[in-house]
Coordinates of all heavy atoms in Angstrom, one line a residue:
M1 N 15.9 3.9 1.9 CA 15.2 5.0 2.6 C 13.8 4.5 2.9 O 13.1 4.0 1.9 CB 15.2 6.2 1.8 CG 14.4 7.4 2.4 SD 14.4 8.9 1.4 CE 16.0 9.5 1.6
T2 N 13.3 4.6 4.1 CA 11.9 4.1 4.4 C 11.0 5.3 4.1 O 11.4 6.4 3.9 CB 11.8 3.8 5.9 OG1 11.9 5.0 6.7 CG2 12.8 2.8 6.3
L3 N 9.7 4.9 4.0 CA 8.7 5.9 3.7 C 8.7 7.1 4.7 O 8.5 8.2 4.4 CB 7.3 5.2 3.7 CG 6.1 6.1 3.2 CD1 6.4 6.6 1.8 CD2 4.9 5.2 3.2
L4 N 8.9 6.8 6.0 CA 8.9 7.8 7.0 C 10.1 8.8 6.8 O 10.1 9.9 7.3 CB 9.0 7.2 8.4 CG 7.7 6.6 8.9 CD1 7.9 6.0 10.3 CD2 6.6 7.8 9.1
D5 N 11.2 8.3 6.2 CA 12.4 9.1 6.0 C 12.2 10.1 4.8 O 13.0 11.0 4.6 CB 13.6 8.3 5.8 CG 13.9 7.4 7.0 OD1 13.7 7.9 8.1 OD2 14.4 6.3 6.8
R6 N 11.2 9.8 4.0 CA 11.1 10.6 2.7 C 10.3 11.9 3.1 O 9.4 11.9 3.9 CB 10.3 9.8 1.7 CG 11.0 8.6 1.2 CD 10.2 7.9 0.2 NE 10.9 6.6 0.0 CZ 10.6 5.9 -1.1 NH1 9.7 6.2 -1.9 NH2 11.3 4.7 -1.2
P7 N 10.7 13.0 2.4 CA 10.0 14.2 2.6 C 8.6 14.2 2.0 O 8.4 13.4 1.1 CB 10.9 15.3 1.9 CG 11.6 14.5 0.8 CD 11.8 13.1 1.4
L8 N 7.7 15.0 2.5 CA 6.4 15.0 1.9 C 6.5 15.7 0.6 O 7.4 16.5 0.3 CB 5.4 15.8 2.9 CG 5.2 15.1 4.2 CD1 4.3 16.0 5.1 CD2 4.5 13.7 4.0
S9 N 5.5 15.4 -0.3 CA 5.6 15.9 -1.7 C 4.8 17.2 -1.9 O 4.7 17.6 -3.0 CB 5.1 14.8 -2.6 OG 3.7 14.5 -2.3
Y10 N 4.4 17.8 -0.8 CA 3.7 19.0 -0.9 C 4.0 20.0 0.2 O 4.3 19.5 1.3 CB 2.1 18.8 -1.0 CG 1.7 17.9 0.2 CD1 1.2 18.5 1.4 CD2 1.7 16.5 0.2 CE1 0.7 17.8 2.4 CE2 1.3 15.8 1.2 CZ 0.8 16.4 2.4 OH 0.4 15.7 3.4
P11 N 4.0 21.3 0.0 CA 4.4 22.2 1.1 C 3.3 22.5 2.1 O 3.7 22.9 3.2 CB 4.8 23.4 0.3 CG 3.9 23.4 -0.9 CD 3.8 21.9 -1.3
Q12 N 2.1 22.3 1.8 CA 1.0 22.7 2.7 C 0.6 21.6 3.7 O -0.5 21.1 3.7 CB -0.2 23.1 1.9 CG 0.0 24.3 1.0 CD 0.4 23.8 -0.4 OE1 0.7 22.6 -0.6 NE2 0.3 24.7 -1.4
V13 N 1.6 21.1 4.5 CA 1.4 20.1 5.4 C 0.3 20.5 6.4 O 0.3 21.5 7.0 CB 2.7 19.7 6.2 CG1 2.4 18.7 7.3 CG2 3.7 19.3 5.2
G14 N -0.7 19.6 6.5 CA -1.9 19.9 7.4 C -3.0 20.6 6.8 O -4.1 20.8 7.3
A15 N -2.8 21.1 5.5 CA -3.8 21.9 4.8 C -5.1 21.1 4.6 O -6.2 21.7 4.4 CB -3.3 22.5 3.6
T16 N -5.0 19.8 4.5 CA -6.2 19.0 4.1 C -7.1 18.8 5.4 O -8.2 18.2 5.2 CB -5.8 17.6 3.6 OG1 -5.0 16.9 4.5 CG2 -5.1 17.8 2.2
A17 N -6.7 19.3 6.5 CA -7.6 19.2 7.7 C -8.7 20.2 7.6 O -9.7 20.0 8.4 CB -6.7 19.4 9.0
G18 N -8.7 21.1 6.7 CA -9.8 22.1 6.6 C -10.0 22.4 5.2 O -9.9 21.5 4.3
Q19 N -10.4 23.6 4.9 CA -10.6 24.0 3.5 C -9.3 23.9 2.7 O -8.3 24.4 3.1 CB -11.2 25.4 3.5 CG -11.5 26.0 2.1 CD -12.7 25.3 1.5 OE1 -13.6 24.8 2.2 NE2 -12.8 25.3 0.2
L20 N -9.4 23.2 1.6 CA -8.2 23.0 0.8 C -7.7 24.4 0.2 O -8.5 25.2 -0.2 CB -8.4 22.0 -0.4 CG -8.6 20.6 0.1 CD1 -8.8 19.7 -1.2 CD2 -7.4 20.1 0.9
P21 N -6.4 24.6 0.0 CA -5.9 25.8 -0.6 C -6.4 25.9 -2.0 O -6.7 24.9 -2.7 CB -4.4 25.6 -0.6 CG -4.1 24.6 0.5 CD -5.3 23.7 0.5
D22 N -6.5 27.1 -2.5 CA -7.1 27.4 -3.8 C -6.3 26.7 -4.9 O -6.9 26.3 -6.0 CB -7.1 28.9 -4.1 CG -8.2 29.6 -3.2 OD1 -9.1 28.9 -2.8 OD2 -8.0 30.8 -3.0
E23 N -5.0 26.5 -4.8 CA -4.3 25.9 -5.9 C -4.4 24.4 -6.0 O -3.9 23.8 -6.9 CB -2.8 26.3 -5.7 CG -2.1 25.8 -4.5 CD -2.2 26.7 -3.3 OE1 -3.0 27.7 -3.3 OE2 -1.4 26.6 -2.4
Y24 N -5.2 23.8 -5.1 CA -5.4 22.4 -5.2 C -6.6 22.1 -6.1 O -7.6 22.8 -6.0 CB -5.8 21.8 -3.8 CG -4.7 21.4 -2.9 CD1 -3.6 22.3 -2.7 CD2 -4.7 20.3 -2.2 CE1 -2.5 22.0 -1.9 CE2 -3.6 19.9 -1.3 CZ -2.6 20.8 -1.2 OH -1.5 20.5 -0.4
N25 N -6.4 21.2 -7.0 CA -7.5 20.8 -7.9 C -8.3 19.8 -7.1 O -7.8 18.8 -6.6 CB -7.0 20.2 -9.2 CG -6.3 21.2 -10.1 OD1 -6.8 22.3 -10.2 ND2 -5.2 20.8 -10.7
Q26 N -9.6 20.0 -7.1 CA -10.5 19.1 -6.3 C -11.5 18.4 -7.2 O -12.0 19.0 -8.2 CB -11.3 19.9 -5.2 CG -10.3 20.6 -4.3 CD -11.1 21.4 -3.3 OE1 -12.1 21.0 -2.7 NE2 -10.7 22.7 -3.1
M27 N -11.8 17.2 -6.9 CA -12.9 16.5 -7.6 C -13.7 15.7 -6.5 O -13.1 15.0 -5.7 CB -12.3 15.5 -8.6 CG -13.4 14.7 -9.3 SD -12.7 13.6 -10.6 CE -12.1 12.3 -9.6
R28 N -15.0 15.9 -6.5 CA -15.8 15.2 -5.6 C -16.8 14.4 -6.4 O -17.5 15.0 -7.3 CB -16.6 16.2 -4.7 CG -15.6 17.0 -3.8 CD -16.3 18.0 -2.9 NE -15.4 18.8 -2.3 CZ -15.2 18.8 -1.0 NH1 -15.9 18.1 -0.2 NH2 -14.3 19.6 -0.4
V29 N -17.0 13.2 -6.1 CA -17.9 12.3 -6.8 C -18.7 11.6 -5.7 O -18.2 11.1 -4.7 CB -17.1 11.2 -7.6 CG1 -18.1 10.3 -8.3 CG2 -16.2 11.9 -8.6
H30 N -20.0 11.6 -5.9 CA -20.9 10.9 -4.9 C -21.6 9.8 -5.6 O -22.1 9.9 -6.7 CB -22.0 11.9 -4.4 CG -21.4 13.1 -3.7 ND1 -21.2 13.1 -2.4 CD2 -20.9 14.3 -4.2 CE1 -20.6 14.3 -2.0 NE2 -20.4 15.0 -3.1
R31 N -21.6 8.6 -5.0 CA -22.3 7.5 -5.5 C -23.0 6.8 -4.3 O -22.5 6.7 -3.2 CB -21.4 6.4 -6.1 CG -20.6 6.9 -7.3 CD -21.5 6.9 -8.5 NE -20.7 7.2 -9.7 CZ -20.6 8.4 -10.2 NH1 -21.1 9.5 -9.6 NH2 -19.9 8.6 -11.3
V32 N -24.2 6.2 -4.5 CA -24.8 5.4 -3.5 C -24.3 4.0 -3.7 O -24.3 3.4 -4.8 CB -26.4 5.4 -3.7 CG1 -27.0 4.5 -2.8 CG2 -26.9 6.8 -3.5
I33 N -23.8 3.4 -2.7 CA -23.2 2.1 -2.8 C -24.0 1.0 -2.1 O -23.7 -0.1 -2.1 CB -21.7 2.1 -2.1 CG1 -21.8 2.5 -0.7 CG2 -20.8 2.9 -2.9 CD1 -20.5 2.3 0.1
G34 N -25.1 1.5 -1.5 CA -26.0 0.6 -0.9 C -26.7 1.3 0.3 O -26.6 2.5 0.4
H35 N -27.3 0.5 1.1 CA -28.0 1.1 2.3 C -27.8 0.2 3.5 O -27.6 -1.0 3.3 CB -29.6 1.2 2.0 CG -29.9 2.0 0.8 ND1 -29.9 3.4 0.9 CD2 -30.1 1.7 -0.5 CE1 -30.2 3.9 -0.3 NE2 -30.3 2.9 -1.2
G36 N -27.9 0.8 4.6 CA -27.9 0.0 5.9 C -26.5 -0.1 6.5 O -25.5 0.3 6.0
E37 N -26.5 -0.5 7.8 CA -25.4 -0.6 8.6 C -24.3 -1.5 8.1 O -23.1 -1.2 8.1 CB -25.8 -1.1 10.0 CG -24.7 -1.2 11.0 CD -24.3 0.2 11.6 OE1 -25.1 1.1 11.5 OE2 -23.2 0.3 12.2
S38 N -24.7 -2.7 7.5 CA -23.6 -3.6 7.1 C -22.9 -3.0 5.8 O -21.7 -3.2 5.7 CB -24.2 -5.0 6.8 OG -25.2 -4.9 5.7
T39 N -23.6 -2.3 5.0 CA -23.0 -1.7 3.8 C -22.0 -0.6 4.2 O -20.9 -0.5 3.7 CB -24.0 -1.1 2.8 OG1 -24.9 -2.2 2.4 CG2 -23.4 -0.5 1.7
F40 N -22.4 0.2 5.2 CA -21.6 1.2 5.7 C -20.3 0.6 6.3 O -19.2 1.1 6.1 CB -22.3 2.1 6.8 CG -21.4 3.1 7.4 CD1 -21.1 4.3 6.8 CD2 -20.9 2.8 8.7 CE1 -20.3 5.2 7.4 CE2 -20.0 3.7 9.3 CZ -19.7 4.9 8.7
R41 N -20.4 -0.4 7.1 CA -19.3 -1.0 7.8 C -18.3 -1.6 6.8 O -17.1 -1.5 6.9 CB -19.7 -2.1 8.8 CG -20.4 -1.4 10.0 CD -20.6 -2.4 11.1 NE -21.3 -1.8 12.3 CZ -20.6 -1.1 13.2 NH1 -19.4 -0.9 13.1 NH2 -21.3 -0.6 14.2
R42 N -18.8 -2.3 5.7 CA -17.9 -2.9 4.7 C -17.2 -1.8 4.0 O -16.0 -1.9 3.7 CB -18.8 -3.7 3.7 CG -19.1 -5.1 4.2 CD -19.6 -6.0 3.1 NE -20.6 -5.4 2.3 CZ -21.9 -5.5 2.5 NH1 -22.3 -6.1 3.6 NH2 -22.8 -4.9 1.7
A43 N -17.9 -0.7 3.6 CA -17.3 0.4 2.9 C -16.2 1.1 3.8 O -15.1 1.4 3.3 CB -18.3 1.4 2.5
A44 N -16.5 1.3 5.1 CA -15.5 1.9 6.0 C -14.3 1.0 6.2 O -13.2 1.5 6.2 CB -16.2 2.2 7.3
E45 N -14.5 -0.3 6.3 CA -13.4 -1.2 6.4 C -12.5 -1.2 5.1 O -11.3 -1.1 5.2 CB -13.9 -2.6 6.7 CG -12.8 -3.7 6.7 CD -11.7 -3.4 7.8 OE1 -12.0 -2.7 8.8 OE2 -10.6 -3.8 7.6
R46 N -13.1 -1.1 4.0 CA -12.3 -1.1 2.7 C -11.5 0.2 2.6 O -10.4 0.2 2.2 CB -13.2 -1.3 1.5 CG -13.7 -2.7 1.4 CD -14.6 -3.0 0.2 NE -14.0 -2.6 -1.1 CZ -13.2 -3.4 -1.8 NH1 -12.8 -4.6 -1.3 NH2 -12.7 -3.0 -2.9
L47 N -12.1 1.3 3.0 CA -11.5 2.6 3.0 C -10.3 2.6 4.0 O -9.2 3.0 3.7 CB -12.4 3.7 3.3 CG -11.9 5.1 3.3 CD1 -11.4 5.5 1.9 CD2 -12.9 6.1 3.8
M48 N -10.6 2.2 5.2 CA -9.6 2.4 6.3 C -8.4 1.3 6.2 O -7.4 1.5 6.8 CB -10.3 2.2 7.7 CG -11.3 3.3 7.9 SD -10.6 5.0 7.8 CE -9.7 5.0 9.4
S49 N -8.6 0.3 5.4 CA -7.5 -0.7 5.2 C -6.8 -0.6 3.8 O -6.2 -1.5 3.4 CB -8.1 -2.1 5.4 OG -9.0 -2.4 4.5
W50 N -7.0 0.5 3.2 CA -6.4 0.8 1.9 C -7.0 0.0 0.7 O -6.5 0.1 -0.4 CB -4.9 0.7 1.9 CG -4.2 1.4 3.1 CD1 -3.6 0.8 4.1 CD2 -4.1 2.8 3.2 NE1 -3.0 1.8 4.9 CE2 -3.3 3.0 4.4 CE3 -4.5 3.9 2.5 CZ2 -3.0 4.3 4.9 CZ3 -4.2 5.2 3.0 CH2 -3.5 5.3 4.2
Q51 N -7.9 -0.9 1.0 CA -8.5 -1.8 0.0 C -9.2 -1.0 -1.1 O -9.1 -1.3 -2.3 CB -9.5 -2.8 0.6 CG -8.8 -3.8 1.5 CD -9.9 -4.7 2.1 OE1 -10.7 -5.2 1.5 NE2 -9.8 -4.8 3.4
M52 N -9.9 0.1 -0.8 CA -10.6 0.9 -1.7 C -9.6 1.5 -2.7 O -9.9 1.7 -3.9 CB -11.5 1.9 -1.0 CG -12.5 2.6 -2.0 SD -13.6 3.7 -1.1 CE -14.5 2.5 -0.1
H53 N -8.5 2.0 -2.2 CA -7.5 2.6 -3.0 C -6.9 1.6 -4.0 O -6.7 1.9 -5.2 CB -6.3 3.2 -2.2 CG -6.8 4.1 -1.1 ND1 -7.4 3.8 0.0 CD2 -6.7 5.5 -1.1 CE1 -7.7 4.8 0.7 NE2 -7.3 5.9 0.0
R54 N -6.6 0.4 -3.5 CA -6.0 -0.7 -4.4 C -7.1 -1.1 -5.5 O -6.7 -1.3 -6.6 CB -5.6 -1.9 -3.6 CG -4.4 -1.6 -2.7 CD -3.9 -2.8 -1.9 NE -2.7 -2.5 -1.2 CZ -2.7 -2.3 0.1 NH1 -3.8 -2.2 0.8 NH2 -1.5 -2.0 0.7
A55 N -8.3 -1.1 -5.1 CA -9.4 -1.5 -6.0 C -9.5 -0.5 -7.1 O -10.0 -0.8 -8.2 CB -10.7 -1.7 -5.3
A56 N -9.2 0.8 -6.8 CA -9.2 1.8 -7.8 C -8.0 1.8 -8.7 O -7.9 2.7 -9.6 CB -9.3 3.2 -7.1
G57 N -7.1 0.9 -8.5 CA -5.9 0.8 -9.4 C -4.7 1.4 -8.9 O -3.7 1.5 -9.6
L58 N -4.7 1.9 -7.7 CA -3.5 2.6 -7.1 C -2.6 1.6 -6.4 O -3.1 0.6 -5.9 CB -4.0 3.6 -6.1 CG -4.8 4.8 -6.6 CD1 -5.4 5.6 -5.4 CD2 -4.0 5.7 -7.5
T59 N -1.3 1.8 -6.5 CA -0.4 1.1 -5.7 C -0.2 1.8 -4.3 O -0.1 3.1 -4.3 CB 1.0 1.0 -6.4 OG1 0.8 0.4 -7.6 CG2 2.0 0.3 -5.5
V60 N -0.3 1.1 -3.2 CA -0.3 1.7 -1.9 C 0.9 1.3 -1.2 O 1.2 0.1 -1.0 CB -1.6 1.3 -1.1 CG1 -1.5 1.9 0.3 CG2 -2.8 1.7 -1.8
E61 N 1.7 2.3 -0.7 CA 2.9 2.0 0.1 C 2.6 2.9 1.4 O 2.5 4.1 1.4 CB 4.1 2.5 -0.5 CG 5.4 2.3 0.3 CD 6.6 2.9 -0.3 OE1 6.6 3.4 -1.4 OE2 7.7 2.8 0.4
A62 N 2.3 2.2 2.5 CA 1.9 2.8 3.7 C 2.7 2.4 4.9 O 3.2 1.3 5.0 CB 0.4 2.6 4.0
T63 N 2.8 3.3 5.9 CA 3.6 2.9 7.1 C 2.7 2.1 8.1 O 3.3 1.6 9.0 CB 4.1 4.2 7.8 OG1 3.0 5.1 8.1 CG2 5.1 4.9 6.9
T64 N 1.4 2.1 7.9 CA 0.5 1.3 8.7 C -0.4 0.5 7.9 O -0.8 0.9 6.8 CB -0.3 2.2 9.7 OG1 -1.0 3.2 8.9 CG2 0.6 3.0 10.6
P65 N -0.9 -0.7 8.3 CA -1.8 -1.5 7.5 C -3.2 -0.9 7.5 O -4.0 -1.2 6.6 CB -1.8 -2.8 8.3 CG -1.4 -2.5 9.6 CD -0.4 -1.3 9.5
R66 N -3.5 0.0 8.4 CA -4.8 0.7 8.4 C -4.5 2.2 8.5 O -3.5 2.6 9.1 CB -5.6 0.3 9.6 CG -6.0 -1.2 9.6 CD -6.9 -1.6 10.7 NE -8.1 -0.8 10.8 CZ -9.2 -0.9 10.1 NH1 -9.2 -1.9 9.1 NH2 -10.2 -0.2 10.3
V67 N -5.5 3.0 8.0 CA -5.3 4.4 8.2 C -5.4 4.8 9.6 O -6.2 4.3 10.4 CB -6.5 5.1 7.4 CG1 -6.5 6.6 7.6 CG2 -6.5 4.8 5.9
E68 N -4.5 5.6 10.0 CA -4.5 6.2 11.4 C -3.7 7.5 11.4 O -3.0 7.8 10.4 CB -3.8 5.2 12.4 CG -2.4 4.8 12.1 CD -1.9 3.7 13.0 OE1 -2.4 2.6 13.0 OE2 -0.9 4.1 13.8
Q69 N -3.9 8.3 12.4 CA -3.3 9.6 12.5 C -1.8 9.4 12.4 O -1.2 8.5 13.0 CB -3.6 10.3 13.8 CG -3.1 11.7 13.9 CD -3.6 12.4 15.1 OE1 -4.6 12.0 15.8 NE2 -3.0 13.5 15.4
D70 N -1.2 10.3 11.6 CA 0.3 10.3 11.4 C 0.8 9.2 10.5 O 2.0 9.0 10.4 CB 1.1 10.4 12.7 CG 0.8 11.6 13.5 OD1 0.6 12.7 12.9 OD2 0.8 11.6 14.7
S71 N -0.1 8.4 9.9 CA 0.3 7.4 8.9 C 0.9 8.2 7.7 O 0.5 9.3 7.4 CB -0.9 6.6 8.4 OG -1.4 5.8 9.3
R72 N 1.8 7.6 7.1 CA 2.3 8.1 5.8 C 2.0 7.1 4.7 O 2.1 5.9 4.9 CB 3.8 8.3 5.8 CG 4.2 9.5 6.7 CD 5.0 10.5 6.0 NE 5.5 11.5 6.8 CZ 6.6 12.2 6.7 NH1 7.5 11.8 5.8 NH2 6.9 13.1 7.5
V73 N 1.5 7.7 3.6 CA 1.2 6.8 2.5 C 1.6 7.4 1.2 O 1.6 8.6 1.0 CB -0.4 6.5 2.5 CG1 -1.1 7.8 2.3 CG2 -0.7 5.5 1.4
R74 N 2.1 6.6 0.3 CA 2.4 7.0 -1.1 C 1.5 6.2 -2.0 O 1.5 5.0 -2.0 CB 3.9 6.8 -1.4 CG 4.2 7.3 -2.8 CD 5.6 7.4 -3.1 NE 6.3 6.1 -3.1 CZ 7.5 5.9 -3.5 NH1 8.2 6.9 -3.9 NH2 8.0 4.7 -3.5
L75 N 0.7 6.9 -2.7 CA -0.2 6.3 -3.7 C 0.4 6.6 -5.1 O 0.7 7.7 -5.4 CB -1.6 7.0 -3.6 CG -2.3 6.9 -2.2 CD1 -3.5 7.7 -2.2 CD2 -2.5 5.4 -1.8
R76 N 0.4 5.5 -5.9 CA 0.9 5.6 -7.2 C -0.1 5.1 -8.2 O -0.7 4.1 -7.9 CB 2.2 4.9 -7.4 CG 3.4 5.7 -6.7 CD 4.7 5.0 -6.9 NE 4.8 4.0 -5.9 CZ 5.8 3.1 -5.9 NH1 6.7 3.1 -6.8 NH2 5.9 2.2 -4.9
L77 N -0.2 5.7 -9.3 CA -1.0 5.3 -10.4 C -0.2 5.1 -11.6 O 0.5 6.0 -12.1 CB -2.1 6.3 -10.7 CG -3.1 6.0 -11.9 CD1 -3.9 4.8 -11.6 CD2 -4.0 7.2 -12.1
G78 N -0.2 3.9 -12.2 CA 0.6 3.6 -13.4 C 1.7 2.6 -13.1 O 1.7 1.9 -12.1
W79 N 2.5 2.4 -14.1 CA 3.5 1.3 -14.1 C 4.9 1.9 -14.4 O 5.1 2.7 -15.3 CB 3.2 0.3 -15.1 CG 1.8 -0.3 -14.9 CD1 1.5 -1.3 -14.2 CD2 0.6 0.3 -15.5 NE1 0.1 -1.5 -14.3 CE2 -0.4 -0.5 -15.1 CE3 0.4 1.3 -16.3 CZ2 -1.7 -0.3 -15.4 CZ3 -1.0 1.6 -16.7 CH2 -2.0 0.8 -16.3
H80 N 5.8 1.6 -13.6 CA 7.3 1.9 -13.7 C 7.6 3.3 -14.5 O 7.6 4.3 -13.8 CB 8.0 0.8 -14.4 CG 7.8 -0.5 -13.6 ND1 8.4 -0.7 -12.4 CD2 7.1 -1.6 -13.9 CE1 8.1 -1.9 -12.0 NE2 7.3 -2.5 -12.8
L81 N 7.7 3.3 -15.8 CA 8.2 4.5 -16.5 C 7.0 5.5 -16.6 O 7.3 6.7 -16.8 CB 8.8 4.1 -17.8 CG 10.0 3.3 -17.8 CD1 10.5 2.9 -19.2 CD2 11.1 4.0 -17.0
L82 N 5.8 5.0 -16.6 CA 4.6 5.9 -16.8 C 3.9 5.8 -15.5 O 3.0 5.0 -15.3 CB 3.8 5.4 -18.0 CG 2.5 6.2 -18.2 CD1 2.9 7.7 -18.6 CD2 1.7 5.6 -19.4
R83 N 4.2 6.7 -14.6 CA 3.6 6.7 -13.2 C 3.4 8.1 -12.7 O 4.2 9.0 -12.9 CB 4.6 5.9 -12.3 CG 4.1 5.8 -10.9 CD 4.8 4.8 -10.1 NE 6.2 4.8 -10.2 CZ 7.0 3.8 -10.0 NH1 6.5 2.6 -9.7 NH2 8.3 4.0 -10.0
I84 N 2.3 8.2 -12.0 CA 2.0 9.4 -11.2 C 2.1 9.1 -9.8 O 1.6 8.1 -9.3 CB 0.5 9.9 -11.5 CG1 0.3 10.2 -13.0 CG2 0.2 11.1 -10.7 CD1 -1.1 10.4 -13.4
S85 N 2.9 9.9 -9.1 CA 3.2 9.6 -7.7 C 3.0 10.8 -6.8 O 3.1 11.9 -7.2 CB 4.7 9.1 -7.6 OG 5.0 8.6 -6.3

């Protein structure tokens, strides 16, 4: 079964396009990673190519090599028997 054939793991499809539903736990963290255009471009490239996710220790299974509209992605944290998916 391909990633596109799998059902989504949450019922509120599209809910992240606006204010998140109350039942979602949210965490926001802000950090200064540098200054200037080149820092912004490097950070944007790492985010849009899933590199930032992998660097955070997540396993990334995505239908596209870069983030784009209608991409499907499964992020996993952990190893085999002990995994959050």
Side-chain angles (χ1 to χ4, degrees):
M1 177 182 288
T2 70
L3 188 56
L4 282 175
D5 296 326
R6 295 179 188 197
L8 295 175
S9 61
Y10 54 93
Q12 301 91 346
V13 176
T16 58
Q19 182 70 23
L20 292 179
D22 290 337
E23 62 270 18
Y24 277 45
N25 293 320
Q26 301 176 48
M27 181 175 77
R28 295 176 190 247
V29 177
H30 300 267
R31 298 282 188 270
V32 175
I33 59 171
H35 300 279
E37 181 77 18
S38 64
T39 299
F40 174 80
R41 289 190 182 279
R42 278 194 313 273
E45 176 58 28
R46 288 181 56 82
L47 178 65
M48 299 301 286
S49 62
W50 310 112
Q51 293 174 51
M52 194 173 293
H53 303 78
R54 290 182 177 101
L58 297 169
T59 299
V60 177
E61 180 184 355
T63 57
T64 57
R66 297 183 55 77
V67 176
E68 58 185 66
Q69 186 172 344
D70 297 324
S71 293
R72 288 236 182 146
V73 62
R74 180 166 67 170
L75 303 172
R76 288 185 271 172
L77 177 63
W79 304 269
H80 303 291
L81 296 176
L82 180 61
R83 179 166 47 206
I84 299 170
S85 188

